[in-house]
């Protein structure tokens, strides 16, 4: 089943994001290589794909996991969690309707 992992950053998270980004991206690449990643990316703090010093306000990952607990465990082990980037992480089942 698919699960949506919606994370909200702490204030001024940009430097923390930068330091943990390589490990964070490797975990996403591993999901993609396994054919389990639907989409992943950050929420820019401003209306720009390159927000610069404005940074980001959170992230969204939609991926396939065996069950909700596995999805929560994966989210809890994110390098951004360990680095203190995220203030809150929510994991919910997700039903993809489009694209088919």
């Amino acid at each position: 089943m698919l699960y949506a992992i919606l994370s909200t950053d702490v204030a001024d998270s940009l430097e923390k994001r930068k330091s943990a980004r390589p490990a964070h991206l490797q975990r996403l690449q591993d999901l993609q290589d396994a054919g389990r990643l639907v989409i992943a990316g950050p929420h820019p703090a401003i209306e720009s794909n390159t927000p610069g010093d404005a940074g980001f306000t959170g992230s969204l990952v939609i991926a396939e996991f065996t069950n909700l607990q596995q999805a929560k465990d994966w989210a809890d082990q994110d390098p951004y969690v360990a680095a203190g980037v995220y203030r809150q992480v929510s994991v919910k089942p997700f039903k993809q309707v489009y694209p088919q």
Side-chain angles (χ1 to χ4, degrees):
M1 177 162 200
L2 295 178
Y3 293 87
I5 302 169
L6 185 61
S7 306
T8 304
D9 283 21
V10 297
D12 301 316
S13 64
L14 188 57
E15 290 307 314
K16 292 177 182 180
R17 273 182 169 270
K18 287 178 181 178
S19 67
R21 188 169 193 259
H24 172 78
L25 292 180
Q26 183 58 57
R27 293 181 82 234
L28 293 171
Q29 184 64 54
D30 293 345
L31 279 180
Q32 182 169 319
D33 291 348
R36 297 172 42 203
L37 183 63
V38 175
I39 195 167
H43 302 285
I46 60 173
E47 292 184 54
S48 173
N49 284 328
T50 54
D53 291 340
F56 301 91
T57 63
S59 302
L60 171 66
V61 174
I62 299 177
E64 183 180 351
F65 294 94
T66 303
N67 55 48
L68 180 60
Q69 189 59 55
Q70 184 189 47
K72 286 181 176 181
D73 290 346
W74 187 90
D76 288 345
Q77 296 169 16
D78 193 303
Y80 280 177
V81 170
V85 172
Y86 293 147
R87 176 176 52 85
Q88 179 181 353
V89 178
S90 173
V91 182
K92 300 178 182 184
F94 180 80
K95 181 181 184 229
Q96 182 174 348
V97 176
Y98 290 102
Q100 293 182 2

